[in-house]
Amino acid sequence: MDSGFNVIDWLEQHLDLADVDTTAFIYDLMESQSGRCLPVIYQPFDAADPLHFADRGHVHDFSQATGGGRVLDFGPGDGWPSLIIAPFVDEVVGVDASAKRVEICRENAARLGIANARFVHVPAGEPLPFADAEFDGITAASSVEQTPDPRAALAELARVLRPGGRLRLHYEGLERYRGAEEHGLWLHRQAGPANLIVYDRRIDEELVRQYRLTLALTAAEAESLFSRQRAEVEYAALSEQLLNELSPAVTQAVRCTTRHPAGATWCRWLAELGFSQARPTHSGARFAQRLFDTLEPVERPRDLAAVDALLRPLVAVVIELDAPLPTDPMITAVK
C-alpha cells in the first residue's frame, strides 16, 4: 500500500456509496454462506478431520445449552446449527432476514429428510411472528450483530423465550483483530460479477464498516489486476493506482455498518433486558478441537456415532464452566 494512503478515505470520497443492511450487502447474494463445507449438511462427516470434530463440539454446545424442547435458531445461514441440532431437540424454527438463506435452508432440510425443522423469513428489524414465551431455548450463531439494532434484536429474543429458557449466543468479538487485522479484504468468488469487500473494523467503537464493490469483472479478472501489481488479493495491496484501475469496473458500491459488542457489553444488555443470568462460558467447539489435538490417532473415535458418544457428555460439562472475557465468544443467558 502507498505510504500514507488511506483506503477508507478513498472509498468514501470517490464512490457513490449506498447504505444497506447485511441482507442486501451479502446474504441474499450467496448460494452457500458456508462455501458448502459444512459436515453432515454438505459433506459426509469425517471423524479424522479436526474441523469436523470441532464442528460436532459446537453442535452439542448449542443443543445442550438450550436444553432441547422447542428451539429458535436466529440466523441459520445454510441451516447451521438448525439442521444439525434437529435430532437432539423436539422442534427447531430457523428465522432469517434473507429470503435467499431461508430458501437454501428449506432445500437442505428437504434433501436431508429433516422433518422437525422449519424456516421463516422475517425482514431485518421487524418483530418476530411468534407469541411471548413461545420457545424453550434460542441459538444465535454470529447473527445478532448482523441486525440493524442488536440490542433491539436481543429484546425481541427475550420476548419469545419462556421464563427459565436459555439463550446460547455466539458472537464475533473484534478484539482478536487488534494490531493486525483492523482492515481486511475479501474477494467473493462465485459465478458472475465479482464482489470485492473491504473491512474497516473499529474495535474501540465496537463496530465494523464494510464496503462492497461489485465489478463488471469475474473473480479471475479481478485477481489479474492484483497480479499486474505483483500483489495478492489482500488489503495491503490496495494502492491508489490499483483502486483507480478498478474504479471504471465498479457497477455498484454499497456500505454496511454493523455493531459488534464485546462480551461485557452483551452481558450488560442481557441483564438490562431482564435475563436473570448472563455469563460467558467455554466453547464446546474449542474444547473439541483441543481434545482432537490431544488424542493420538489410534485413540480418536472413528465415526459420527462414536464422536457423539465421546463429546456429548464432556461438552455438557465444558459449557457450564465460566470463561474469562474474551477467551471464548460464547454466552449463556437465562430468562
Side-chain angles (χ1 to χ4, degrees):
M1 187 184 299
D2 299 343
S3 177
F5 176 63
N6 189 302
V7 172
I8 305 303
D9 285 349
W10 189 97
L11 297 175
E12 293 281 353
Q13 294 167 12
H14 289 79
L15 299 177
D16 183 16
L17 295 162
D19 287 301
V20 299
D21 64 16
T22 56
T23 298
F25 185 84
I26 192 64
Y27 294 124
D28 268 347
L29 306 180
M30 306 175 83
E31 288 301 319
S32 171
Q33 187 174 325
S34 64
R36 298 186 179 275
C37 69
L38 294 171
V40 180
I41 293 179
Y42 288 121
Q43 299 181 5
F45 183 82
D46 181 359
D49 187 327
L51 296 179
H52 286 208
F53 201 92
D55 183 82
R56 209 63 189 169
H58 222 156
V59 166
H60 292 302
D61 181 317
F62 279 121
S63 64
Q64 295 191 104
T66 52
R70 191 161 189 253
V71 175
L72 174 69
D73 182 21
F74 188 75
D78 286 356
W80 191 97
S82 305
L83 298 177
I84 309 301
I85 68 172
F88 303 102
V89 303
D90 294 338
E91 181 188 18
V92 59
V93 179
V95 171
D96 207 292
S98 166
K100 181 68 173 180
R101 305 268 52 81
V102 169
E103 175 191 349
I104 295 299
C105 287
R106 289 172 177 169
E107 290 175 357
N108 286 339
R111 176 172 49 80
L112 295 169
I114 296 174
N116 66 330
R118 65 184 180 92
F119 298 92
V120 180
H121 173 235
V122 180
E126 291 194 6
L128 297 175
F130 308 115
D132 294 355
E134 188 168 333
F135 291 94
D136 300 304
I138 298 175
T139 62
S142 300
S143 56
V144 179
E145 60 265 41
Q146 300 298 319
T147 64
D149 185 343
R151 194 181 187 283
L154 274 187
E156 189 64 359
L157 295 180
R159 180 185 67 80
V160 302
L161 184 64
R162 69 165 174 80
R166 308 213 310 177
L167 162 68
R168 186 60 164 165
L169 176 73
H170 178 271
Y171 64 94
E172 183 190 23
L174 298 182
E175 191 62 38
R176 65 193 180 101
Y177 298 109
R178 188 183 297 276
E181 296 182 77
E182 282 89 348
H183 296 99
L185 179 67
W186 176 47
L187 179 60
H188 182 210
R189 295 176 174 86
Q190 288 197 170
N195 290 303
L196 202 62
I197 298 176
V198 177
Y199 298 92
D200 178 22
R201 300 181 177 103
R202 304 186 178 192
I203 298 169
D204 292 330
E205 299 174 60
E206 297 188 350
L207 66 82
V208 176
R209 194 155 286 153
Q210 302 174 71
Y211 302 82
R212 171 167 58 79
L213 282 58
T214 300
L215 307 174
L217 303 170
T218 65
E221 289 168 336
E223 287 179 314
S224 72
L225 285 178
F226 283 82
S227 296
R228 288 207 295 269
Q229 301 292 327
R230 297 182 179 179
E232 299 293 328
V233 180
E234 58 187 15
Y235 185 82
L238 290 177
S239 63
E240 184 172 13
Q241 177 183 344
L242 181 55
L243 285 168
N244 285 333
E245 286 190 47
L246 281 168
S247 183
V250 176
T251 60
Q252 184 187 47
V254 297
R255 175 178 51 210
C256 178
T257 302
T258 50
R259 181 83 187 270
H260 290 254
T265 302
W266 285 117
C267 289
R268 174 170 55 82
W269 284 355
L270 288 161
E272 292 169 353
L273 292 169
F275 283 84
S276 63
Q277 182 185 118
R279 62 192 179 96
T281 78
H282 286 286
S283 158
R286 183 171 294 188
F287 163 76
Q289 177 69 68
R290 292 184 179 180
L291 178 61
F292 182 92
D293 293 339
T294 300
L295 294 173
E296 295 294 333
V298 295
E299 299 175 311
R300 293 172 189 154
R302 300 301 179 89
D303 57 31
L304 180 57
V307 170
D308 284 348
L310 173 65
L311 287 181
R312 193 162 178 80
L314 296 176
V315 168
V317 174
V318 168
I319 62 175
E320 295 301 325
L321 299 176
D322 291 341
L325 290 170
T327 303
D328 282 340
M330 301 293 296
I331 292 173
T332 294
V334 181
K335 177 77 176 290

